Amino acid sequence: MSQIRWLGHAAVEVLISGKRVVIDPLIKDNPLSPVKLNYLEGVSVVGVTHDHYDHLGDTVEILKMNNKAKLFATFDLEMYLVNQFKVPEAQLIPANVGGYVEHEGIRLALTKAVHSSEHSDPTGIVVSDGRTTIYHAGDTGLFEDMRLIGQVFQPDYALLPIGGRFTMDPKQAVIAVDMIKPRKGAIPIHFNTWDMIRVDPQEFVKGVKEKGYEAILLQPGQSIEL
Ligand SMILES: [Zn+2]
């Protein structure tokens, strides 16, 4: 069984090839989170796109709850967490923007993102089992290289921020979908968590459908089978 579950904001859980990957796990301070932190006790991999608090979230605590969980982020961000919060080096999957990293039967990759961050460059994250590929764009503005991300990784699903202000807005995210060309669907994230990123997701859904792609609007806690 493969599944994507939206945990509100940019937090996303992916079940794939028997692995449980959580990306940008903001749980405790996430007003939209449908789960408590102990829900993530058994995760295999914690992916972090960048170190803004609403993405780094509860990463350190999750890694400390479960020493089998691995961290996937840029090596610079990983080393920052080692030095600052004593995350054990044994829990790192070292990486940077580039090709796939094989990890216990799944493939992980970091992509470019146009944004800022404190301790390393911001990224997007790709998770794949070789059959189904999921692209989480992280926080990003619209950029032309999304076309390349689509070409290289050929994602089935693209999780894209649409909240505006700090990231793409719904209109820009529709243009992104047209460049990434997700085969099975585009899923909006990073909106309506707080008033500053309040938008109408239907604007995204409508635009994506007009371009001939599938849009999947999830409620926090809702999941789709892949
Ligand atoms: Zn950010």
Side-chain angles (χ1 to χ4, degrees), residues 135-168:
Y135 165 50
H136 182 303
D139 271 1
T140 187
L142 183 63
F143 59 99
E144 175 69 23
D145 290 357
M146 284 178 168
R147 215 180 284 283
L148 270 179
I149 292 171
Q151 203 181 322
V152 170
F153 294 104
Q154 303 186 352
D156 296 288
Y157 298 92
L159 294 145
L160 303 174
I162 66 161
R165 189 184 294 261
F166 302 108
T167 68
M168 298 187 286

Side-chain angles (χ1 to χ4, degrees), residues 32-54:
L32 300 182
S33 179
V35 297
K36 299 275 180 235
L37 195 55
N38 62 9
Y39 172 76
L40 294 176
E41 251 164 27
V43 294
S44 328
V45 175
V46 183
V48 183
T49 61
H50 65 297
D51 63 2
H52 285 156
Y53 84 98
D54 56 324

Side-chain angles (χ1 to χ4, degrees), residues 62-77:
I62 294 165
L63 292 170
K64 291 194 171 172
M65 286 190 310
N66 170 9
N67 62 15
K68 290 195 180 70
K70 297 283 196 281
L71 172 65
F72 185 69
T74 65
F75 190 59
D76 309 76
L77 176 50

Side-chain angles (χ1 to χ4, degrees), residues 66-113:
N66 170 9
N67 62 15
K68 290 195 180 70
K70 297 283 196 281
L71 172 65
F72 185 69
T74 65
F75 190 59
D76 309 76
L77 176 50
E78 292 178 340
M79 287 314 291
Y80 165 70
L81 297 181
V82 168
N83 294 327
Q84 192 71 16
F85 299 105
K86 309 271 179 285
V87 168
E89 289 194 42
Q91 283 181 263
L92 309 184
I93 303 173
N96 210 319
V97 174
Y100 272 128
V101 175
E102 301 278 344
H103 177 73
E104 298 178 355
I106 58 170
R107 298 172 182 179
L108 303 164
L110 296 173
T111 67
K112 175 179 174 177

